[in-house]
C-alpha cells in the first residue's frame, strides 16, 4: 500500500504542468486551499505566487530554479515510469474533492492520459478543470440542476449503458463506447438525473457550471 503524502480535510487543488492562468489558480485555491503540484506544476505555482504544500512526481519537468526554492521535505520524488505524474499524485493524496488544473490544456496525449486516470481512480472525487470545460467521472447515480440549454456531454471510456432524465437526447437503451457511440453535445432540458451500472462514463460541462458540479458531487 502506498503511503499517503497529503491528507486534507478541505478540498484540495492539484496543479499540473499544462498552461494555467493565475486567475484560474486563485479561483481554485479559494474553493480548495490545500495546494499540491504535480512535478512541473510547481513552476506554475511559484510563478503565480503560491508555495505548494507538496510537489509529487518523477521530477523530470520541474525547473532547477523552482526546485531550489522549495523546502526539501515538500519534494516527493517518485522514480517509477509506469504511471503519469497525475496518477502518482492521486495514489498519494486524499481529500473530499480534488480540483485538478493544468492537466486539460496543452498536449492532447496528456489530456487523453488524464481522462484515463480519472477512470482508474473511482474512489477519488476529481474535477478536471480546463479553460472551457469541467470533466469528471460520473458516479453510479448523479442528480444535478443546470440551466436549460446547457451543453452536457457524455464520453464513455468503455462499453457502458445507463439511464437519463433531463437531457434532450436520452441515453436509455443505448450501449455507448468510445469506438461506436458517444454522447457529446447533448443539452439540458430540466433537472438531470443519470444512472450507470459501471463507472466508465465521463461527464463534460461548461466551466461556469463548476459550483453546481461541486454541489452535486460533494
Amino acid at each position: 500500500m502506498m503511503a499517503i503524502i497529503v491528507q486534507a480535510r478541505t478540498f484540495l487543488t492539484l496543479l499540473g504542468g499544462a498552461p494555467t492562468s493565475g486567475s484560474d489558480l486563485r479561483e481554485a485555491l479559494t474553493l480548495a486551499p490545500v495546494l499540491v503540484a504535480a512535478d512541473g506544476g510547481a513552476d506554475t505555482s511559484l510563478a503565480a505566487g503560491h508555495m505548494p504544500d507538496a510537489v509529487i512526481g518523477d521530477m523530470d519537468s520541474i525547473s532547477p530554479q523552482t526546485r531550489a526554492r522549495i523546502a526539501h521535505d515538500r519534494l516527493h520524488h517518485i522514480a517509477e515510469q509506469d504511471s503519469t505524474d497525475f496518477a502518482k499524485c492521486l495514489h498519494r493524496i486524499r481529500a473530499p474533492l480534488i480540483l485538478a488544473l493544468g492537466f486539460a490544456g496543452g498536449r492532447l496525449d496528456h489530456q487523453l492520459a488524464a481522462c484515463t486516470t480519472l477512470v482508474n481512480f473511482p474512489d477519488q472525487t476529481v474535477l478536471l478543470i480546463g479553460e472551457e470545460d469541467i470533466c469528471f467521472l460520473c458516479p453510479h447515480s448523479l442528480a444535478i440542476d443546470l440551466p436549460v440549454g446547457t451543453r452536457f456531454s457524455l464520453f464513455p471510456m468503455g462499453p457502458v449503458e445507463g439511464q437519463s432524465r433531463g437531457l434532450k437526447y436520452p441515453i436509455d437503451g443505448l450501449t455507448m463506447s468510445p469506438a461506436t457511440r458517444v454522447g457529446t453535445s447533448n443539452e439540458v432540458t430540466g433537472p438531470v438525473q443519470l444512472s450507470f451500472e459501471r463507472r466508465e462514463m465521463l461527464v463534460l460541462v461548461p466551466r461556469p457550471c463548476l459550483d453546481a458540479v461541486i454541489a452535486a458531487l460533494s
Side-chain angles (χ1 to χ4, degrees):
M1 183 176 179
M2 296 183 185
I4 303 302
I5 294 172
V6 177
Q7 178 89 48
R9 294 185 178 181
T10 63
F11 295 167
L12 180 149
T13 296
L14 177 59
L15 182 61
T20 302
S21 71
S23 60
D24 285 348
L25 181 55
R26 286 193 298 273
E27 179 187 8
L29 289 173
T30 298
L31 299 167
V34 177
L35 176 60
V36 173
D39 201 345
D43 288 76
T44 304
S45 178
L46 289 192
H50 302 283
M51 177 61 68
D53 296 285
V55 181
I56 300 171
D58 57 19
M59 304 300 174
D60 65 349
S61 300
I62 185 173
S63 70
Q65 296 83 0
T66 293
R67 189 164 184 165
R69 292 175 58 191
I70 298 175
H72 180 74
D73 61 358
R74 297 189 182 206
L75 296 170
H76 302 274
H77 181 206
I78 312 299
E80 57 89 359
Q81 295 294 309
D82 294 328
S83 66
T84 65
D85 288 320
F86 190 22
K88 288 179 176 67
C89 289
L90 292 184
H91 271 302
R92 295 168 175 86
I93 62 177
R94 294 292 183 272
L97 183 140
I98 298 166
L99 302 184
L101 288 79
F103 299 97
R107 287 171 46 177
L108 180 57
D109 58 344
H110 286 173
Q111 295 180 56
L112 292 171
C115 289
T116 297
T117 300
L118 292 181
V119 180
N120 289 336
F121 288 85
D123 293 335
Q124 298 269 48
T125 303
V126 183
L127 302 185
L128 196 62
I129 300 175
E131 184 177 352
E132 295 188 11
D133 287 341
I134 305 162
C135 176
F136 60 93
L137 179 65
C138 193
H140 288 293
S141 61
L142 175 71
I144 185 169
D145 288 329
L146 298 171
V148 171
T150 299
R151 173 172 51 84
F152 196 100
S153 292
L154 297 171
F155 195 91
M157 296 296 286
V160 60
E161 298 179 359
Q163 293 78 43
S164 69
R165 299 292 181 271
L167 295 180
K168 183 176 181 180
Y169 305 106
I171 65 170
D172 302 58
L174 302 179
T175 298
M176 305 174 75
S177 82
T180 58
R181 184 189 291 270
V182 299
T184 55
S185 297
N186 210 326
E187 186 176 306
V188 172
T189 60
V192 174
Q193 295 183 0
L194 297 173
S195 61
F196 299 99
E197 290 188 2
R198 302 176 62 187
R199 295 199 63 195
E200 294 191 359
M201 183 65 78
L202 299 182
V203 177
L204 298 97
V205 294
R207 176 72 176 271
C209 299
L210 179 60
D211 288 343
V213 171
I214 290 175
L217 295 178
S218 298

